[in-house]
Amino acid sequence: MSSSIVNNEKTGLNVRKVAVIGSGVMGAGIAAHMANSGYSVWLLDIIPSTLTSDEQLQGLSLQSSSVRNRLANAAIGAMVRQKPAPLYDNSFVKNITAGNLSDHSKQLSEVDWIVEAVVERLDIKQQVFTLIDQARRVGTLVSTNTSGLSAHQMVEHCSKDMREHFAVTHFFNPPRYMNLVEVVPTSDTLPQVVDTLHYLCEQKLGKGVVRAKDTPNFIANRIGTYGMLVTLESTAQFGLTIDEVDALTGVAMGRPKTATYRMLDLVGLDTLLHVVDNVHNRSNDEQEKKVFTRPLILESLVKKGALGQKSGEGFYRKSKSPTGKSFIESLQLNSLTYEIAEPIVSPVIEAAKKGKGAAGKVNALLHAHPEHAHALFAWSTIKPILLYSAKLLGEIADSIVDIDKAMKLGFNWELGPFELWDAIGVQASVARMKEEGEDIPQWVEAWLASGLTHFYKQDSGYTWYVHEQQFVQIEEDPKVISLGQCKERGATIWSNSGASLIDIGDDVVALEFHSKSNAIGSEVLSAIRYASNEVSRNWRGLVLANEGKNFCVGANIMLLLMEAQNEEWDEVEDIIRFFQQSMLQLKRLDRPVVAAPHRMTLGGGVEACLPADVIIASPETYYGLVETGVGLIPAGGGSKEAAIFAMNRAAAGAGPNGVSERKLLAGDLQPHLNHMFETIAMAKTSTSGYEIARLGFSRPQDRVIMRQENRISEAKKEVLRLDRAGYEAPKEQLVTVAGREGKAVLKLAIQSMKLGKYISSHDELIATKLAHILSGGDLSSGAIVSEQYLLDLECEAFLSLCGEPKTQARMSHMLTTGKPLRN
């Protein structure tokens, strides 16, 4: 690790207290995410000038502290109710204190980092920075959240120390969920300040950071807005509907489903006009100013109050039929009326759907039917973005890597502009551009003239990119282990169609799932068996992790449904037994196992994590045993582990010596059993990695890390720590169960739900079988059973439910619609 990185970490560790000024949407979101990261946060705003009617009824005055702090207090109160939630867990709200700029400006001298997030007006920001400059102590970090105003102009009137410790930290909205932060220094910003802000945003807040230059709208909004404007122009040129355009500029181009017009509605049409104006007013390029001219269609819609999603209508609107059923209508550009969209039929779109990956899709989009209007339209929107991005290199950022990263993280493109250019072929596309009379940026011409045909290249698992007419290697982050790069370097030890075992260094291996949706089927289970045997013989430990969109969406229910419909009950039982014994083998492995889940980790995905000695989760991990949604119960060891969770928590409260002090009874187990039963029966999932504990699936040794990219590296470190501590294989666990008495309590709750019509008869059947397993069946309270006994109960219940027509209907419905059926 270089000395500069070490120094940045030391400086970053000294940042403990933060102030966020401005409690609007962005300020509150940034304050919430700071609280997520463990910082102590002051959220400050202005003092209201009038009383609300409620304040008047309470006899309050403008001098009352609750009135003076009203704006910040209201923002904090909204955090715990807001959807999607800005907090990882509502308990983090305690890290935020409300205040106002008049009474609490002195607090600015006590914090380590001040983030300004007031309205996007230069004059108001300048006033706020004057106040900050007077209140802060020397050396305090100061940053602004702006989507593109001049950073230099904001603080040019401030002290030298203030200017040296100031930069832009442009968070994308919503701050918790959008991964991008653009760090933008001014000419006065000290290099170590830029490095420290980069470190804080990346390592402490878990964001993807790019370094941009102090130009209008920085990187992502500059290119993203340009792309939207040329798409609007091409829509009119080719006479397409907005539904056609969204079908062409979404997944087919390697971009989100929101595509162009849905994205505009989400952003807000008035917001987009503000961004357009900012570039238009600050640009010295007449061609660029022409593109960044307010589109008439946007002005017309904004003038009539159609601002997009926030006003209820924009390019789309949600309507209701006389029967109350909701449906979506799209704007007809010629008449500005709304109509229900017709399905788009296009050979170009169909070809793109069949393409493999983003590169395959966009090549099919452009080349499968090159003379079709939809292909010509796609080219007319892609071409200018590529040229514009190349033209801006050096102006908005020094590196094509930062430009590509900004578009991927800020706009969720699968390929950045230069990655996309590589995918469609730089030589061939430039030749086409020249035929069409386009001016090619000089550096691109020179690069091709030197005989090179790509902006990126891969060599021995390392990535190189063009920089100043030569290939430069992308510096690797020592905190990140990439399984993809490990495989490119020949680190795969063993592989089948469902998973791979990969050497990640220091005698530690990772088991990577790569089946469809990372679902657990026979190939993945075979890989778990193989990995357990191989690690036991030759390695220090095992990490369970992958780099897919989701860690694991559950077991392969298609296979189970086919076997059940064919009444192949021996086959179904074999599948379940194989699953159970694979998990049990993993749990009893004589080497440490650490799981590193991320995003959707459901059903069998959870059951694959539970045998691990430690679970290190991403903050955005959506974790839960959801089998009841398809009419089943967890039968890969999940129900058994839930019973163990209940026992361990009851034992922890039984006295200083836990379970050894006295025999656990149903009364001891019941509260914990009730909680686990409710969690599984209602198919609850966490909304973050931190909520896993609230659901009851977390153990004291499990933890959440802020930066998802560090998961595998941190899991490896944990394996090595356990190994150095003299790891021993876990012994077979005996489980104290609640028995008949515990099951009776659970059945009473089930009957109450049924009588209240909260659940169906089939839900009642599923819940009753779950209660039977969790309580240990019909044994007496406090009976002690083996893990295998509970696994047998799981298997029996699972088999009986597979034979139920309503369960098969639920499984089929989930496979065809992706949604649960309540029958």
Side-chain angles (χ1 to χ4, degrees), residues 132-395:
I132 292 172
D133 197 14
Q134 294 168 350
R136 67 186 278 275
R137 69 178 186 274
V138 171
T140 302
L141 294 170
V142 182
S143 67
T144 176
N145 186 75
T146 175
S147 60
L149 294 178
S150 168
H152 169 77
Q153 288 181 316
M154 287 183 203
V155 294
E156 60 184 345
H157 63 293
C158 294
S159 67
K160 182 174 183 288
D161 185 79
M162 168 86 162
R163 298 196 310 274
E164 289 177 340
H165 290 84
F166 170 82
V168 172
T169 49
H170 177 210
F171 291 81
F172 275 59
N173 188 35
R176 169 184 163 180
Y177 298 96
M178 291 300 292
N179 202 16
L180 179 63
V181 172
E182 293 174 313
V183 173
V184 187
T186 71
S187 57
D188 294 319
T189 311
L190 294 172
Q192 59 265 37
V193 169
V194 182
D195 291 342
T196 299
L197 287 170
H198 188 136
Y199 169 80
L200 290 169
C201 291
E202 182 178 78
Q203 299 296 332
K204 309 303 281 187
L205 301 182
K207 295 301 174 188
V209 178
V210 299
R211 298 195 184 190
K213 296 193 175 185
D214 190 10
T215 55
N217 298 105
F218 313 131
I219 302 174
N221 279 341
R222 180 84 168 263
I223 294 175
T225 302
Y226 180 88
M228 289 178 180
L229 293 174
V230 297
T231 301
L232 286 172
E233 186 178 323
S234 291
T235 303
Q237 177 188 343
F238 285 87
L240 303 186
T241 67
I242 67 169
D243 298 289
E244 286 178 294
V245 171
D246 276 357
L248 290 162
T249 60
V251 176
M253 272 189 191
R255 298 179 189 172
K257 292 179 181 179
T258 46
T260 299
Y261 289 102
R262 285 185 179 85
M263 176 68 78
L264 286 169
D265 276 358
L266 284 171
V267 169
L269 308 191
D270 54 337
T271 302
L272 183 72
L273 287 180
H274 171 77
V275 175
V276 169
D277 291 344
N278 191 37
V279 178
H280 184 272
N281 296 336
R282 292 176 61 190
S283 176
N284 295 318
D285 185 320
E286 288 304 317
Q287 186 177 356
E288 183 178 56
K289 288 174 78 77
K290 183 179 178 181
V291 174
F292 281 87
T293 299
R294 288 181 161 217
L296 292 176
I297 182 65
L298 290 184
E299 285 197 315
S300 299
L301 290 170
V302 170
K303 187 174 181 180
K304 73 170 192 171
L307 308 180
Q309 193 173 74
K310 60 188 173 184
S311 69
E313 65 178 32
F315 287 104
Y316 294 92
R317 75 176 181 188
K318 183 180 287 188
S319 300
K320 284 190 176 182
S321 68
T323 61
K325 185 178 180 180
S326 296
F327 59 93
I328 302 296
E329 295 178 300
S330 54
L331 185 72
Q332 307 304 298
L333 295 174
N334 293 332
S335 62
L336 296 188
T337 59
Y338 292 91
E339 293 181 12
I340 298 175
E342 296 293 328
I344 307 302
V345 178
S346 165
V348 172
I349 295 172
E350 289 305 311
K353 287 179 181 178
K354 296 174 184 175
K356 186 175 181 181
K361 291 181 187 303
V362 76
N363 271 300
L365 191 69
L366 295 175
H367 304 131
H369 302 277
E371 301 305 318
H372 193 284
H374 286 167
L376 296 172
F377 165 84
W379 172 246
S380 77
T381 61
I382 289 173
K383 175 179 69 173
I385 292 173
L386 302 182
L387 291 171
Y388 188 64
S389 300
K391 180 182 177 182
L392 291 178
L393 181 64
E395 178 183 338

Side-chain angles (χ1 to χ4, degrees), residues 753-774:
M753 293 286 284
K754 178 66 166 48
L755 289 171
K757 298 184 179 179
Y758 295 107
I759 61 175
S760 68
S761 296
H762 194 53
D763 292 323
E764 180 185 20
L765 174 65
I766 299 163
T768 301
K769 290 185 179 294
L770 176 63
H772 183 74
I773 302 164
L774 295 181

Side-chain angles (χ1 to χ4, degrees), residues 211 219 393-394 397-404 418 465-467:
R211 298 195 184 190
I219 302 174
L393 181 64
D398 288 327
S399 162
I400 68 167
V401 175
D402 276 335
I403 292 176
D404 280 346
F418 297 97
Y465 69 101
V466 57
H467 183 68

Side-chain angles (χ1 to χ4, degrees), residues 338-647:
Y338 292 91
E339 293 181 12
I340 298 175
E342 296 293 328
I344 307 302
V345 178
S346 165
V348 172
I349 295 172
E350 289 305 311
K353 287 179 181 178
K354 296 174 184 175
K356 186 175 181 181
K361 291 181 187 303
V362 76
N363 271 300
L365 191 69
L366 295 175
H367 304 131
H369 302 277
E371 301 305 318
H372 193 284
H374 286 167
L376 296 172
F377 165 84
W379 172 246
S380 77
T381 61
I382 289 173
K383 175 179 69 173
I385 292 173
L386 302 182
L387 291 171
Y388 188 64
S389 300
K391 180 182 177 182
L392 291 178
L393 181 64
E395 178 183 338
I396 62 174
D398 288 327
S399 162
I400 68 167
V401 175
D402 276 335
I403 292 176
D404 280 346
K405 186 176 179 181
M407 299 316 299
K408 290 189 290 184
L409 298 182
F411 279 76
N412 291 320
W413 291 7
E414 289 190 50
L415 298 171
F418 297 97
E419 292 171 328
L420 176 60
W421 212 336
D422 272 357
I424 66 172
V426 181
Q427 269 188 321
S429 59
V430 166
R432 180 176 178 181
M433 291 171 185
K434 286 182 176 180
E435 289 176 5
E436 294 170 356
E438 302 292 349
D439 292 327
I440 310 301
Q442 188 276 330
W443 74 265
V444 176
E445 290 266 38
W447 186 245
L448 291 173
S450 68
L452 296 164
T453 59
H454 288 81
F455 297 125
Y456 292 92
K457 71 173 183 177
Q458 301 290 327
D459 186 6
S460 301
Y462 297 95
T463 303
W464 303 68
Y465 69 101
V466 57
H467 183 68
E468 296 180 350
Q469 294 303 305
Q470 61 182 339
F471 272 123
V472 176
Q473 185 180 331
I474 294 178
E475 185 177 349
E476 293 193 346
D477 186 338
K479 294 179 182 290
V480 176
I481 292 175
S482 165
L483 297 180
Q485 289 182 345
C486 288
K487 289 192 289 186
E488 286 175 10
R489 294 169 192 166
T492 302
I493 298 162
W494 177 91
S495 183
N496 67 13
S497 61
S500 295
L501 196 60
I502 304 161
D503 182 353
I504 57 174
D506 298 311
D507 293 325
V508 178
V509 288
L511 183 63
E512 174 201 41
F513 300 168
H514 47 65
S515 56
K516 184 177 180 181
S517 300
N518 288 341
I520 295 179
S522 60
E523 294 297 311
V524 171
L525 294 175
S526 295
I528 289 172
R529 292 285 187 97
Y530 178 88
S532 298
N533 294 328
E534 169 67 16
V535 170
S536 178
R537 289 191 299 264
N538 299 313
W539 304 86
R540 295 173 70 181
L542 176 67
V543 169
L544 297 174
N546 63 68
E547 295 167 331
K549 181 179 179 181
N550 299 299
F551 178 77
C552 176
V553 298
N556 185 345
I557 61 173
M558 170 68 82
L559 175 61
L560 288 167
L561 178 60
M562 289 172 58
E563 300 290 7
Q565 287 176 333
N566 293 330
E567 298 186 356
E568 297 286 352
W569 304 121
D570 288 343
E571 291 293 332
V572 175
E573 182 172 359
D574 286 345
I575 292 169
I576 297 307
R577 295 290 188 189
F578 190 47
F579 196 155
Q580 291 178 339
Q581 295 309 309
S582 299
M583 297 303 108
L584 207 55
Q585 183 177 358
L586 195 61
K587 182 175 181 177
R588 294 178 184 164
L589 184 62
D590 59 354
R591 297 287 187 269
V593 179
V594 178
H598 67 284
R599 296 191 66 81
M600 289 175 64
T601 304
L602 305 175
V606 172
E607 290 175 310
C609 290
L610 292 178
D613 299 290
V614 178
I615 296 171
I616 295 177
S618 156
E620 298 298 343
T621 302
Y622 316 125
Y623 193 92
L625 293 170
V626 296
E627 285 84 350
T628 58
V630 289
L632 298 167
I633 52 92
S639 300
K640 177 256 296 181
E641 290 295 327
I644 293 173
F645 275 126
M647 177 192 70

